[in-house]
Amino acid sequence: MRESYREELDDINHCLVELTNSVGSAMSTATTALLDADVALADLVIAGDAHIDAVRVSVDERCFTLLARQQPVATDLRAITTAMATVQDLERMGDLAQHIAKVARMRFPEPAVPQEVRPVFLEAGHVAESLVAKTGRVIAKRDVDAAMELEAEDDLMDKLHQQLFRELLSDDWPHGIESAIDITLLGRYYERFADHAVSVARRVVYLVTGERPIALAPSS
Amino acid sequence: MRESYREELDDINHCLVELTNSVGSAMSTATTALLDADVALADLVIAGDAHIDAVRVSVDERCFTLLARQQPVATDLRAITTAMATVQDLERMGDLAQHIAKVARMRFPEPAVPQEVRPVFLEAGHVAESLVAKTGRVIAKRDVDAAMELEAEDDLMDKLHQQLFRELLSDDWPHGIESAIDITLLGRYYERFADHAVSVARRVVYLVTGERPIALAPSS
């Protein structure tokens, strides 16, 4: 029984890594849908969110069953409660990718992102991709160094977010209020996506080191 | 030992209800700070968030200790994992109140909310207050009816959110892009606050009825 318990714990972790990949792929596709005004890609992300939600429910149930049947203690118990919190962040990251796809869909056939801020969203997309890849490494290998790198990339995302506001507030923003609303929300979605990645990483750092980082929840 | 275990579980639930009150009070104060451009109130909310974060960490640790020492099963186990997820939503609701206070602080001495949308935010503040009160009842009494009422109020919050966009997009919005950014973000904070209340309520419904509502996580 212990053997299969360990296998189940490993398999749950494997599911989390796969879910991270799904979320990363949703975010990359959403960014492309946004920048290319590609409604087919946007629909793919929107439809794909149900799968992410289903995996989340499944991981949650499996963790609960492990807790109920095996009554783990110490590090194993912490690993399971960490997995339960992590899957919540990952599902939310999937929601945010979906929100981005929905903005692309809403403005189709027009692009939701005007030329002036295109480079910022292109860069935000790259940062998001890199963040997700590191999140996967943090979960798979309990890699504390990758967790630290991830924090640095979150700072970069915050800078991109600030840059968006500067563009919007420059004297020659010619795209009006509706576009400003879109850009404000889109910037927020990318920023929150990064925050949730940080949250996952911090929880794994706590699991590995026993030291609780200053904030465990996404705080912005 | 069983006796003190039950007491501990009850006490954790009591802490969650108190935390809900703190979050409700932060949100009410933030709304007043916003509408009255009252920087002292805004600072109160901003400073008070550390307490909410601390309670969250404490509840989390206490739940973990209960799991480790008492190895509960069935409903008790579900109650503890529910508490661990709930405290995360409540902390996030506190963050959102803090974000609202920060917008009020940033624009001080000017009001962040122009006259045209003041009634919408006044109403959003009332809905948020009512939502939090119901959330407290749902947690304290496992009141499934209150959980259902709460969903209806979340719909009302969504309508207010839509109304904000209509105001921003009306031809005579005279307050420019910066104000539109503020209003967009503020609207989002109120909406997310309501979503998290719904998320708490749905989890309690699941705990009581064993039926998983369609979505357990805030989805917008």
Side-chain angles (χ1 to χ4, degrees):
Chain A
M1 190 65 175
R2 278 281 135 183
E3 187 63 25
S4 82
Y5 156 56
R6 172 67 49 193
E7 279 167 15
E8 173 69 358
L9 201 51
D10 286 348
D11 198 54
I12 286 172
N13 211 53
H14 184 69
C15 273
L16 287 179
V17 175
E18 285 200 338
L19 185 58
T20 310
N21 294 340
S22 303
V23 164
S25 154
M27 192 58 167
S28 300
T29 310
T31 300
T32 307
L34 183 70
L35 293 176
D36 298 353
D38 186 328
V39 77
L41 285 184
D43 284 341
L44 214 63
V45 175
I46 294 165
D49 195 54
H51 168 71
I52 292 174
D53 292 351
V55 174
R56 175 231 149 100
V57 170
S58 150
V59 168
D60 215 49
E61 290 295 346
R62 286 171 69 183
C63 287
F64 186 81
T65 304
L66 258 191
L67 287 177
R69 295 215 183 130
Q70 303 292 345
Q71 312 200 317
V73 292
T75 307
D76 284 346
L77 175 56
R78 184 73 74 188
I80 297 170
T81 58
T82 300
M84 290 176 103
T86 297
V87 77
Q88 203 154 328
D89 278 307
L90 292 174
E91 192 219 9
R92 187 72 202 139
M93 290 165 81
D95 287 340
L96 291 163
Q98 191 191 31
H99 291 350
I100 291 166
K102 282 183 174 171
V103 175
R105 165 161 258 309
M106 188 166 57
R107 297 299 166 222
F108 180 81
E110 297 301 315
V113 169
Q115 210 55 40
E116 290 88 335
V117 287
R118 219 184 128 78
V120 185
F121 282 103
L122 197 63
E123 178 76 6
H126 290 153
V127 174
E129 257 175 67
S130 172
L131 274 167
V132 164
K134 288 202 173 65
T135 305
R137 250 169 59 206
V138 169
I139 296 170
K141 315 254 181 220
R142 297 196 178 162
D143 183 338
V144 172
D145 291 336
M148 298 299 152
E149 292 167 28
L150 199 149
E151 298 256 0
E153 280 180 1
D154 177 51
D155 291 344
L156 189 54
M157 191 68 102
D158 289 342
K159 287 206 179 81
L160 290 168
H161 198 209
Q162 292 309 316
Q163 196 180 329
L164 271 186
F165 287 134
R166 275 198 304 277
E167 295 281 350
L168 286 174
L169 295 174
S170 71
D171 284 341
D172 50 356
W173 178 258
H175 306 286
I177 300 282
E178 182 168 85
S179 175
I181 294 173
D182 283 350
I183 300 304
T184 301
L185 289 175
L186 287 167
R188 180 89 188 141
Y189 300 150
Y190 280 93
E191 190 205 15
R192 291 294 301 153
F193 186 89
D195 288 339
H196 283 282
V198 167
S199 172
V200 169
R202 287 185 179 168
R203 243 186 254 106
V204 173
V205 169
Y206 182 48
L207 175 65
V208 174
T209 66
E211 298 201 10
R212 202 178 266 275
I214 298 152
L216 277 175
S219 60
S220 36
Chain B
M1 191 64 176
R2 279 284 136 180
E3 188 62 24
S4 82
Y5 157 56
R6 173 68 49 192
E7 279 169 15
E8 174 69 357
L9 201 52
D10 286 349
D11 198 54
I12 286 172
N13 211 52
H14 184 69
C15 272
L16 287 179
V17 175
E18 285 201 337
L19 185 59
T20 310
N21 293 340
S22 302
V23 164
S25 154
M27 192 59 167
S28 301
T29 310
T31 300
T32 308
L34 182 70
L35 293 175
D36 298 354
D38 185 328
V39 76
L41 285 185
D43 284 340
L44 214 62
V45 175
I46 294 164
D49 195 54
H51 168 71
I52 292 174
D53 291 350
V55 173
R56 175 230 149 101
V57 170
S58 150
V59 168
D60 214 49
E61 290 294 345
R62 285 172 69 184
C63 287
F64 186 81
T65 305
L66 256 191
L67 287 178
R69 295 216 183 129
Q70 303 290 345
Q71 310 198 319
V73 291
T75 307
D76 284 347
L77 176 56
R78 185 73 74 187
I80 297 171
T81 58
T82 300
M84 290 176 103
T86 298
V87 76
Q88 204 155 327
D89 278 307
L90 291 174
E91 192 219 10
R92 186 72 202 140
M93 290 165 82
D95 287 341
L96 291 163
Q98 191 192 29
H99 290 350
I100 292 166
K102 281 183 175 172
V103 176
R105 162 160 260 309
M106 189 166 57
R107 297 299 166 222
F108 179 81
E110 295 302 315
V113 170
Q115 209 57 39
E116 290 89 335
V117 288
R118 220 185 128 78
V120 186
F121 282 103
L122 197 63
E123 179 74 5
H126 289 152
V127 174
E129 256 174 67
S130 172
L131 275 168
V132 164
K134 288 202 172 65
T135 305
R137 249 169 60 206
V138 169
I139 296 171
K141 316 255 182 221
R142 297 194 177 164
D143 183 337
V144 173
D145 292 336
M148 299 299 153
E149 291 168 27
L150 199 149
E151 299 254 0
E153 279 180 0
D154 177 50
D155 291 345
L156 190 53
M157 190 66 102
D158 289 342
K159 287 207 181 80
L160 290 168
H161 198 209
Q162 293 308 316
Q163 196 179 329
L164 270 186
F165 287 134
R166 276 198 304 277
E167 294 281 351
L168 287 174
L169 295 174
S170 72
D171 284 340
D172 51 355
W173 178 258
H175 304 288
I177 300 283
E178 182 167 85
S179 176
I181 295 174
D182 283 350
I183 300 305
T184 301
L185 289 175
L186 286 167
R188 179 90 187 140
Y189 300 150
Y190 280 93
E191 191 205 16
R192 291 295 301 152
F193 186 89
D195 288 339
H196 283 283
V198 167
S199 173
V200 169
R202 286 184 180 170
R203 243 186 256 105
V204 172
V205 169
Y206 183 46
L207 175 66
V208 173
T209 66
E211 298 201 13
R212 201 178 269 274
I214 299 154
L216 278 172
S219 61
S220 33

